[in-house]
Amino acid sequence: MIFLHAIACPGTGIKKLLSGSFMRAGRDQALVFGRALLDDGRKASASELEQLLGGDWREVLTACWLIGFAQRFEFRDELHRLINEGRASRAEKGVAFSLARFCQSSDADTLKRYLEHNLSELQNRGNQPWCLGALLHIERRLGARISQDLLAPRGLWDRWSAAGFLEATDPSYWEREVAGWIELAESLD
């Protein structure tokens, strides 16, 4: 397995990926962390990334960020399957990043299906905001309107976001968060 520079310290790198704290650490630190993810994502063989995608949620999360930073489009179908089949548990934030980075209508459709299912389960308090942010980012880039029924007044998003603690209920907040990740990755291309 390749040496993953970005997450070499046990626990530390995973926490950064899970929380997104690398983006709040300052631009220089975010660039260093992002560069390591990009480099490792480009160096990783397809079989190494497949092995990570077949592992536990930490490995899946790591693979998703590596795939997204390196734009490893050959994994798009697998990421679609992971999220559609509910196998991305705790790693949805990484899948959302990768799909937003790929930025195609099929990625938006996959995120919308995920949200339609998971926003209807009010007790399910996971990575739905990040997936919504990714969907909105793709919409903006493509000039499409895919999320309008999710965001309708008293619709799925309103009901889900009102059902539990959420850092922000404004969908544009989550789009800005995801856009920040994408801008970081694009600045390293």
Side-chain angles (χ1 to χ4, degrees), residues 115-162:
L115 289 164
E116 287 170 337
H117 174 74
N118 286 281
L119 291 176
S120 65
E121 299 177 9
L122 300 181
Q123 74 286 356
N124 183 356
R125 311 305 294 173
N127 290 301
Q128 292 89 333
W130 305 106
C131 291
L132 179 63
L135 173 58
L136 295 175
H137 172 79
I138 296 170
E139 279 185 344
R140 185 173 44 80
R141 289 263 174 114
L142 297 180
R145 296 279 299 154
I146 301 165
S147 64
Q148 57 198 23
D149 57 327
L150 297 173
L151 300 177
R154 295 185 305 277
L156 285 173
W157 174 256
D158 280 353
R159 289 192 305 269
W160 185 87
S161 63

Side-chain angles (χ1 to χ4, degrees), residues 5-161:
H5 294 85
I7 57 169
C9 299
T12 305
I14 292 296
K15 288 178 185 175
K16 287 180 181 180
L17 293 176
L18 190 58
S19 69
S21 65
F22 66 93
M23 290 298 293
R24 294 182 290 282
R27 181 76 176 161
D28 290 341
Q29 287 182 329
L31 285 168
V32 168
F33 193 73
R35 170 57 64 196
L37 285 167
L38 176 65
D39 291 346
D40 287 343
R42 287 180 175 164
K43 290 176 188 171
S45 69
S47 64
E48 288 169 329
L49 290 170
E50 287 169 6
Q51 184 178 354
L52 287 172
L53 287 171
D56 71 9
W57 70 267
R58 292 166 196 85
E59 293 167 324
V60 173
L61 180 66
T62 301
C64 290
W65 284 93
L66 294 171
I67 289 165
F69 265 91
Q71 288 193 299
R72 301 286 297 265
F73 295 106
E74 68 267 29
F75 290 98
R76 171 182 273 128
D77 291 342
E78 179 60 23
L79 296 182
H80 286 202
R81 274 192 297 279
L82 273 173
I83 201 163
N84 283 332
E85 295 171 4
R87 295 185 297 127
S89 179
R90 296 191 70 183
E92 292 100 341
K93 188 183 286 186
V95 175
F97 165 71
S98 289
L99 296 182
R101 183 98 156 104
F102 295 164
C103 200
Q104 295 296 313
S105 59
S106 64
D107 305 315
D109 293 339
T110 294
L111 289 164
K112 183 175 182 192
R113 277 191 304 278
Y114 167 84
L115 289 164
E116 287 170 337
H117 174 74
N118 286 281
L119 291 176
S120 65
E121 299 177 9
L122 300 181
Q123 74 286 356
N124 183 356
R125 311 305 294 173
N127 290 301
Q128 292 89 333
W130 305 106
C131 291
L132 179 63
L135 173 58
L136 295 175
H137 172 79
I138 296 170
E139 279 185 344
R140 185 173 44 80
R141 289 263 174 114
L142 297 180
R145 296 279 299 154
I146 301 165
S147 64
Q148 57 198 23
D149 57 327
L150 297 173
L151 300 177
R154 295 185 305 277
L156 285 173
W157 174 256
D158 280 353
R159 289 192 305 269
W160 185 87
S161 63

